[in-house]
Amino acid sequence: FGEGDDVIAPEKIIPFKLNEDAARIKLFGWWTEHTTMPKFDINKLKISFKDIYVPVWMANANAVTEMSARIQPFGNNIMTPHNNIRKVIDSNYRLIPFDASCHIQDEQFNNIEPFNYSEMTEFHAGYISGHMAEVYQNGPQITLPRVIRRVKDFATKMIKEDIETDTKGGEILSINHQECDVTPSELIYLLVPVWVCRYEYEGKKQYVYINGQTGKVDGKVLFTGRIHELRIIEYGLSALFVGLGTAFFISSLFVGGIRALNRNI
C-alpha cells in the first residue's frame, strides 16, 4: 500500500471478528436455511476459505434538492383540482459505502452489509498481518461520479416522498421543475473484513461471502435440504473438532440436541 504516486494507502480499517471456525459455522447455518436443493454425497464436497480485507470508499456529501410540482389535493375538491407546491431540502449524507473490489461485485457486497462502521479504526499494517488485503480497483476518479449519482437519486426520492406526504396534498400529478446539486465533501479509503468461501461439488464451483465482522452471509447455494440438514451441520462441526478427538461427542450431540443446535446456529 502507498507505493507509487498514484496509489493511496488506507485511512481506516474494520478488523476481523470472525475466525475461520466461526465463518464455517455461519456458512453451514446459512445452508440449512435453503431447502430446495437435491441430495448430495458429502464426500464429494470440497470447501476452501480465504480471509480478505476488501477495499471500500466511504463518502460524505451535501445535497441541495429543489422541486416544484402539481399535486392532487386531499378530498378531490372539484373547485380546486390541484395544488402547486415547492420544496427545497438541504441535507448531509455521511459514510456512504462504495465497494472498490475486483473480487466482489456490488450486489454481493451490498447483500453482506451492513458493516458496523462505528467500529472502524485508524489503519495500521499490523491489522492485515496474516490476512490477504486487496488494493482498490476503482479510484476516486471513478468513485466520485458514483457518489454524486447515488446521492442525487436518493435525495430526489426523498423530496418526492416529502411532497406527497405534505398536508397540502397527496399524489404528484406532474413535476414542473426539479434540481439537485450534490457536493462530495470527503472520501475515506477503508478496508473491511470478508470471508470468501469457495465450494465445489461434482465439478461445479460456487462462492459464498461472509461478513467478517457481523457474520452475515450471501452467495450461491448448490445443494442442501431438510432431509440432509443434519449431515450438513455435522460435516461443518466435525471439521472444527477434527483435531480434538470429539467424534463421539458430536454424534451424541446430534442425536439428543439437533433442534436446539439449529436454533443456536
Side-chain angles (χ1 to χ4, degrees):
F1 290 109
E3 296 182 0
D5 296 337
D6 58 343
V7 178
I8 302 172
E11 299 175 56
K12 305 285 185 178
I13 189 170
I14 296 178
F16 270 93
K17 281 190 172 182
L18 273 66
N19 59 19
E20 182 174 339
D21 291 347
R24 188 179 294 270
I25 289 177
K26 290 291 184 181
L27 170 68
F28 284 91
W30 179 75
W31 262 338
T32 61
E33 298 172 2
H34 301 81
T35 59
T36 59
M37 307 308 288
K39 181 179 178 179
F40 68 96
D41 181 355
I42 198 70
N43 296 316
K44 296 181 180 179
L45 175 63
K46 299 177 182 179
I47 301 181
S48 64
F49 284 83
K50 286 197 178 294
D51 47 330
I52 181 171
Y53 277 107
V54 172
V56 173
W57 291 105
M58 301 290 294
N60 298 331
N62 171 262
V64 178
T65 313
E66 178 184 352
M67 182 175 291
S68 58
R70 187 166 63 94
I71 58 176
Q72 178 71 48
F74 287 130
N76 290 323
N77 190 326
I78 298 177
M79 302 300 295
T80 310
H82 65 268
N83 288 335
N84 290 312
I85 190 170
R86 175 181 175 272
K87 283 186 178 288
V88 178
I89 298 179
D90 189 339
S91 52
N92 289 302
Y93 299 89
R94 289 187 50 79
L95 301 181
I96 312 166
F98 292 85
D99 166 39
S101 169
C102 62
H103 289 91
I104 299 180
Q105 301 298 318
D106 289 345
E107 180 181 1
Q108 297 162 340
F109 178 79
N110 293 339
N111 288 342
I112 62 170
E113 278 199 298
F115 288 85
N116 184 359
Y117 293 104
S118 65
E119 294 183 353
M120 65 182 180
T121 186
E122 296 295 323
F123 174 78
H124 186 276
Y127 283 114
I128 62 175
S129 177
H131 302 280
M132 295 180 64
E134 181 186 358
V135 177
Y136 61 87
Q137 182 186 40
N138 302 322
Q141 298 87 347
I142 296 176
T143 303
L144 284 173
R146 296 173 64 197
V147 173
I148 294 172
R149 184 166 57 251
R150 182 182 294 183
V151 171
K152 183 174 291 187
D153 289 345
F154 185 80
T156 301
K157 177 183 176 182
M158 290 298 99
I159 199 169
K160 284 182 179 179
E161 292 183 1
D162 193 70
I163 287 176
E164 291 183 333
T165 57
D166 192 280
T167 56
K168 295 181 180 179
E171 179 183 357
I172 294 178
L173 301 176
S174 64
I175 296 175
N176 302 322
H177 172 76
Q178 70 176 31
E179 184 176 349
C180 183
D181 293 325
V182 178
T183 306
S185 58
E186 189 176 19
L187 204 57
I188 302 170
Y189 180 18
L190 167 73
L191 296 180
V192 299
V194 176
W195 281 98
V196 181
C197 169
R198 188 184 98 160
Y199 67 97
E200 181 177 346
Y201 184 73
E202 294 185 340
K204 297 180 179 179
K205 299 175 184 178
Q206 297 288 6
Y207 289 86
V208 176
Y209 301 89
I210 304 165
N211 186 314
Q213 180 196 36
T214 68
K216 189 175 180 181
V217 185
D218 185 72
K220 299 293 184 181
V221 178
L222 190 60
F223 51 80
T224 188
R226 294 203 179 279
I227 295 176
H228 311 290
E229 184 172 323
L230 183 146
R231 295 180 63 194
I232 292 174
I233 301 176
E234 183 174 1
Y235 177 86
L237 292 184
S238 295
L240 298 182
F241 295 104
V242 65
L244 303 179
T246 53
F248 175 78
F249 165 76
I250 292 174
S251 299
S252 302
L253 176 66
F254 280 100
V255 170
I258 185 66
R259 293 186 180 276
L261 179 62
N262 283 338
R263 286 198 299 272
N264 291 336
I265 291 178

